[in-house]
Amino acid sequence: MKSPWLNKLSSNFRSRSPFKWLLLCLVSVLVVIALLGSSSSTFNSVTSSVKNDIYTNYRKLKEQARSDYLELKSLAVGENQIKDVGVCGKERENYVPCYNVSANILAGLKDGEELDRHSELSREHQYCLIRPPKDYKIPLSWPAGRDVIWSGNVKLTKDQFLSSGSIMKRLMLLEENQIAFHSQDGMMVDDVKDYSHLIAEMIGLGSDTEFLQAGVRTVLDIGCGFGSFSAHLLSLNLMALCVAAYGSSGSHVQVALERGLPAVIGNFISKQLPFPSLSYDMVHCAQCGIIWDSKDGLFLIEIDRVLKPGGYFVLTSSTTQQQGSSTGAKKGIMSTPLEDFTKKLCWSLLEQQDETFIWQKTVDSQCYTSGKQDTIPICKGQDMQLYYQPLAHCISGTGSDRWIPIHSRSDSMNSTELKVHGVYPDNFFEDSEFWKSAVRNYWSLLSPLIFSDHPKRPGDDDPLPPYNMVRNVLDMNAHYGGLNAALLEAGKSVWVMNVVPLGVHNTLPLILDRGFAGILHNWCEPFPTYPRTYDLLHGNGLLSHLESQGCSTVEVLFEMDRILRPEGWIILPDKLGPIEKVRMVATQMRWEARVIDLQDGSDQRLLVCQKSFVRK
């Protein structure tokens, strides 16, 4: 709730005409400059070097005063206000910016690159709200929403589901307007559990419940089908992130996210994935359609880049089986191209059973330079800030301090591992305690609205416990991943996509080493996901970051509206100034918005918004 002085100030702002506004701004600027000028007599008593510093600060203050004046002027005449925010046309219901295939072809892109992400090409900025499909319904509460989705919420048709070539297509039962995926209640007739158990046995474990003990906490699932393997891994407390190609007629990523599973659009075509080296304990591909030994092995080199030392590459492919020997299930019987190239990568083939092959990456960083075989060159420099760079024909990560075998890591970040990331233990502990408190406050704030007294909608059955309408969270400025850790410790049934923005200290390696999902992203560009894929957006200090990077806050707000599901939530902790500016735009976007004073004497505020269910 805003204080009386803020209400009074807001009333004064609304009552003033633009002309009076300009006069007030001009007078304020003149007063500031006069006060600064009056202090010039004190400059004579200091050294010349201090004079230069003060003169520099004086110039900065003048520039800041001018900037504030121009910003107030633009607000006074309404230049930054969005007028008549309407609803986008039906053609934008599943619109994903940066993936305009037609425009990419016109730009001369080919050989699959027209399907890749191209934010550098000009894109249309429409300040309109993307409406949901006609038959869209609010997803079921978690965990029911993981196993049953509304068919009208995704673009894929019934025929496309049934004709899917994925080995996971047996996991679907179409019932009227729902798509039901088998639950984890022991009544399953599919082979996901058996498949997971097979992988565990092939790497020498007794059961897939031992993945964590073997150091496997994070899995990159390429071309993940409809997410059922990832869902099973999540039930084992592993973090499995689906990466699949964009599809103009619908995508596995959209279905996985509709189920509340971690997923992001990403292609193995021409660019590296937005992850640092040594990011994942396992990379999995089941019938993902990638020809791994093409382009001189660039795709396999990219797998090696993101794999941690001792990590596993699991490949299930009928094509690979046809190329290989048909005589047995032991190591060393791979087809020649893959066998030769995996040796260059210092991978060892652990085992083959039918169509499934498993390699393990070496833990010896010297293997790549030993000269015992035809080696691939080592990359020069560090790749900590890689962001959709071209695929590189070189080995990454061998000189990194993060070259730690997966079976040698501790369950939680110790002081030695924090030191590798340049983080002081005291700062890390303080951050963790802050987010524990913040999560308690967030849940206390949202619980009356998203839990037991969530309103029953016409035609819907009564919600079942735990009435949780928040299944996933997009943390748009994740820092150390403290929000993610606090949610896990509090036992909340949600997962978090941790985003580290470009322009800040890159903490994504730390987040990934904690076993969380994360991605590097530039918020001046659209996020690689489909509309309506997140239930809650969170951005601590995000608004101030956007200003520092020169990003358009208005564009980011419309991007947030695009990726947030109807009736989803937004929590933005920030300074009062940016908060108030965004609150005005939020109301024009039909969000229910309120500003909360934290009552701690600071200028920090909490902007809490809920997206409305816009039909037309």
Side-chain angles (χ1 to χ4, degrees):
M1 182 174 291
K2 294 189 289 188
S3 60
W5 70 265
L6 189 55
N7 285 325
K8 183 177 180 181
L9 186 60
S10 300
S11 176
N12 289 337
F13 284 173
R14 290 191 295 269
S15 63
R16 292 187 185 273
S17 66
F19 178 73
K20 291 181 178 180
W21 254 108
L22 292 176
L23 283 177
L24 177 61
C25 295
L26 284 170
V27 171
S28 300
V29 172
L30 290 174
V31 169
V32 170
I33 295 175
L35 289 173
L36 291 171
S38 66
S39 62
S40 61
S41 60
T42 62
F43 294 170
N44 298 325
S45 61
V46 295
T47 64
S48 60
S49 62
V50 177
K51 285 182 180 180
N52 292 333
D53 291 340
I54 294 178
Y55 178 68
T56 301
N57 292 334
Y58 170 65
R59 291 184 59 186
K60 289 181 179 179
L61 286 171
K62 286 181 66 177
E63 291 172 0
Q64 184 62 48
R66 180 178 179 275
S67 175
D68 292 344
Y69 161 69
L70 292 176
E71 186 173 359
L72 288 170
K73 176 183 174 182
S74 65
L75 285 172
V77 298
E79 290 177 1
N80 283 359
Q81 295 186 15
I82 307 301
K83 297 180 180 179
D84 302 325
V85 177
V87 179
C88 303
K90 181 178 174 60
E91 71 280 358
R92 296 174 76 90
E93 285 180 358
N94 295 283
Y95 174 66
V96 181
C98 301
Y99 287 92
N100 190 328
V101 179
S102 300
N104 294 342
I105 293 175
L106 290 175
L109 297 170
K110 55 183 179 179
D111 297 330
E113 292 189 24
E114 68 275 11
L115 302 175
D116 215 335
R117 181 181 188 273
H118 294 282
S119 61
E120 68 276 10
L121 298 178
S122 60
R123 63 181 187 272
E124 187 178 6
H125 297 294
Q126 287 192 15
Y127 290 148
C128 59
L129 306 177
I130 294 181
R131 60 183 169 187
K134 179 181 178 181
D135 297 328
Y136 182 87
K137 289 188 175 183
I138 298 297
L140 300 176
S141 59
W142 185 273
R146 178 193 60 204
D147 302 320
V148 179
I149 66 174
W150 302 107
S151 57
N153 288 10
V154 294
K155 192 172 183 180
L156 288 174
T157 65
K158 177 180 178 180
D159 292 338
Q160 287 173 311
F161 274 114
L162 294 177
S163 63
S164 170
S166 168
I167 64 171
M168 304 302 179
K169 69 180 182 180
R170 295 183 295 273
L171 306 181
M172 296 172 298
L173 297 175
L174 294 170
E175 301 173 357
E176 298 179 355
N177 59 348
Q178 293 181 344
I179 302 168
F181 301 83
H182 294 298
S183 64
Q184 307 292 335
D185 57 5
M187 302 298 291
M188 300 173 66
V189 295
D190 58 76
D191 61 356
V192 171
K193 282 186 174 180
D194 293 338
Y195 177 67
S196 178
H197 188 76
L198 170 66
I199 293 173
E201 289 184 332
M202 290 175 70
I203 64 176
L205 304 178
S207 168
D208 57 3
T209 58
E210 299 178 10
F211 276 136
L212 287 171
Q213 293 92 310
V216 178
R217 296 183 298 174
T218 57
V219 179
L220 186 66
D221 194 4
I222 303 170
C224 58
F226 299 116
S228 291
F229 181 60
S230 296
H232 177 65
L233 293 179
L234 286 176
S235 72
L236 300 175
N237 295 320
L238 274 66
M239 173 49 66
L241 176 63
C242 164
V243 173
Y246 167 76
S248 58
S249 61
S251 168
H252 294 161
V253 169
Q254 187 183 36
V255 175
L257 282 163
E258 183 63 27
R259 298 182 64 185
L261 303 173
V264 68
I265 299 174
N267 289 0
F268 272 79
I269 297 177
S270 62
K271 297 180 181 179
Q272 294 177 327
L273 297 173
F275 310 116
S277 297
L278 317 179
S279 294
Y280 290 93
D281 306 318
M282 178 183 287
V283 177
H284 172 261
C285 160
Q287 310 288 10
C288 60
I290 296 174
I291 304 175
W292 290 105
D293 54 0
S294 65
K295 292 191 175 184
D296 295 325
L298 277 178
F299 301 146
L300 286 172
I301 293 176
E302 176 67 356
I303 295 298
D304 181 83
R305 186 183 72 83
V306 300
L307 263 182
K308 292 178 180 292
Y312 303 95
F313 177 48
V314 181
L315 174 62
T316 298
S317 171
S318 56
T319 303
T320 305
Q321 169 65 14
Q322 292 171 4
Q323 292 176 347
S325 170
S326 59
T327 58
K330 300 297 180 183
K331 64 173 64 177
I333 57 173
M334 276 301 302
S335 60
T336 301
L338 279 180
E339 181 182 23
D340 291 344
F341 207 87
T342 53
K343 286 181 179 178
K344 294 180 183 179
L345 293 171
C346 293
W347 294 0
S348 58
L349 179 64
L350 293 184
E351 192 169 356
Q352 171 199 349
Q353 289 201 22
D354 299 325
E355 299 179 351
T356 300
F357 300 80
I358 299 183
W359 290 268
Q360 185 173 26
K361 179 176 177 175
T362 183
V363 298
D364 180 14
S365 61
Q366 301 301 315
C367 175
Y368 299 97
T369 57
S370 63
K372 295 180 180 179
Q373 65 269 334
D374 183 17
T375 57
I376 302 169
I378 304 298
C379 297
K380 296 180 180 180
Q382 297 295 322
D383 66 348
M384 296 290 287
Q385 200 75 2
L386 278 181
Y387 187 67
Y388 295 106
Q389 294 296 312
L391 291 169
H393 195 273
C394 58
I395 300 296
S396 300
T398 56
S400 171
D401 292 336
R402 295 176 56 240
W403 187 276
I404 303 173
I406 62 173
H407 58 270
S408 300
R409 294 190 313 248
S410 59
D411 293 335
S412 58
M413 300 299 294
N414 57 38
S415 58
T416 302
E417 291 172 328
L418 288 174
K419 184 178 180 180
V420 168
H421 294 281
V423 176
Y424 291 105
D426 289 346
N427 293 344
F428 187 78
F429 176 77
E430 182 180 347
D431 182 79
S432 298
E433 292 302 309
F434 170 82
W435 286 113
K436 289 177 186 178
S437 175
V439 163
R440 288 192 295 269
N441 293 335
Y442 290 167
W443 235 247
S444 175
L445 178 68
L446 296 179
S447 290
L449 301 168
I450 64 175
F451 288 91
S452 58
D453 60 350
H454 195 292
K456 178 182 176 182
R457 298 175 184 82
D460 289 352
D461 295 331
D462 291 327
L464 299 174
Y467 315 134
N468 186 358
M469 298 304 295
V470 175
R471 307 162 303 167
N472 55 19
V473 178
L474 181 67
D475 194 354
M476 302 172 72
N477 190 12
H479 197 42
Y480 298 151
L483 175 65
N484 194 156
L487 288 168
L488 287 176
E489 186 169 331
K492 306 305 180 186
S493 299
V494 299
W495 65 268
V496 180
M497 174 61 77
N498 298 278
V499 179
V500 176
L502 259 65
V504 304
H505 176 59
N506 187 8
T507 55
L508 184 56
L510 170 62
I511 290 170
L512 294 171
D513 285 355
R514 297 184 75 178
F516 303 155
I519 190 171
L520 198 66
H521 183 65
N522 179 5
W523 282 117
C524 293
E525 302 172 2
F527 191 73
T529 193
Y530 288 84
R532 304 172 299 277
T533 51
Y534 285 93
D535 299 329
L536 189 152
L537 308 182
H538 177 269
N540 183 35
L542 176 69
L543 304 179
S544 296
H545 168 74
L546 296 177
E547 289 184 354
S548 69
Q549 296 298 302
C551 301
S552 169
T553 302
V554 172
E555 287 183 16
V556 175
L557 290 176
F558 275 91
E559 175 67 359
M560 293 167 68
D561 187 86
R562 182 183 72 86
I563 63 183
L564 184 65
R565 70 162 175 82
E567 299 187 1
W569 295 88
I570 299 169
I571 301 178
L572 297 174
D574 218 304
K575 297 178 181 178
L576 176 60
I579 287 288
E580 280 299 316
K581 294 175 189 175
V582 168
R583 183 186 61 81
M584 291 188 292
V585 179
T587 55
Q588 292 174 297
M589 296 173 63
R590 310 185 196 183
W591 294 355
E592 295 181 11
R594 57 176 172 147
V595 178
I596 299 175
D597 190 340
L598 301 179
Q599 302 293 332
D600 59 358
S602 71
D603 64 344
Q604 294 289 311
R605 299 292 186 272
L606 204 64
L607 178 64
V608 180
C609 305
Q610 185 178 27
K611 176 180 173 179
S612 60
F613 199 146
V614 177
R615 284 294 190 185
K616 60 180 180 178

